[in-house]
Amino acid sequence: MDDVDRRILNALQLDSSHTNAELAELVHVSPPTCLRRVKLLTEAGVIARQVAIVSPDKVGARLTAIVEISLDVQAAERMDEFESLVAGEAAVLQCYRVAPGPDFVLIVQVADMPAYHALAHRLFATHANVRNVKTYFSTFRSKFETRIAV
């Protein structure tokens, strides 16, 4: 990855809606070069996907919960089983295996407390391998960034 690739990645992370011509002008390369570079970065998996970032409060998902999960049994297949369970839940935005401490940390976005309660019952209370759940509710988000410095 060279400086041109870095400029392309930085520009796309700020706004991926640019046309190829606009992006090429922003990063000071020709449109064919820019298109080829973006294609190579995508094929290499450096660009995982291009998305629109939605404001949670504008779509009714006002409650953010950071959830720590500890399992009774941490065998690989039991960890995979739990990950598969939460992967199927749209309200779970992120799932991390962590150490030390709990086994997982989840970032959850739901409409309100009743919606969180329903999710907690569905994912945690009825799952036999969940030993402990500790949830933190966000009262204010002072920073949210998706950009990775390259």
Side-chain angles (χ1 to χ4, degrees), residues 18 26 38 41 44 46 53-54 57 60 77 80 91 94 96-97 109 114-115 118 125-126 129 134 137 142 145 148:
H18 292 295
L26 278 171
V38 170
L41 289 165
V46 176
I53 298 172
V54 175
D57 60 317
E77 61 274 359
D80 292 344
Q94 299 172 44
Y96 300 93
R97 283 191 193 191
Q109 195 76 44
T126 59
N129 196 34
K134 186 173 186 180
F137 296 101
S142 60
E145 190 62 57
I148 296 172

Side-chain angles (χ1 to χ4, degrees), residues 79-147:
M79 301 283 271
D80 292 344
E81 177 186 297
F82 183 77
E83 284 176 326
S84 294
L85 175 69
V86 299
E89 182 64 51
V92 177
L93 302 182
Q94 299 172 44
C95 174
Y96 300 93
R97 283 191 193 191
V98 296
D103 298 308
F104 293 94
V105 172
L106 309 177
I107 307 300
V108 175
Q109 195 76 44
V110 291
D112 51 24
M113 196 58 79
Y116 174 77
H117 182 267
L119 176 132
H121 180 73
R122 199 169 49 250
L123 293 182
F124 315 138
T126 59
H127 194 277
N129 196 34
V130 172
R131 177 174 28 102
N132 190 41
V133 178
K134 186 173 186 180
T135 304
Y136 305 90
F137 296 101
S138 173
T139 59
F140 178 75
R141 181 172 77 181
S142 60
K143 182 177 181 176
F144 173 81
E145 190 62 57
T146 61
R147 184 179 175 276

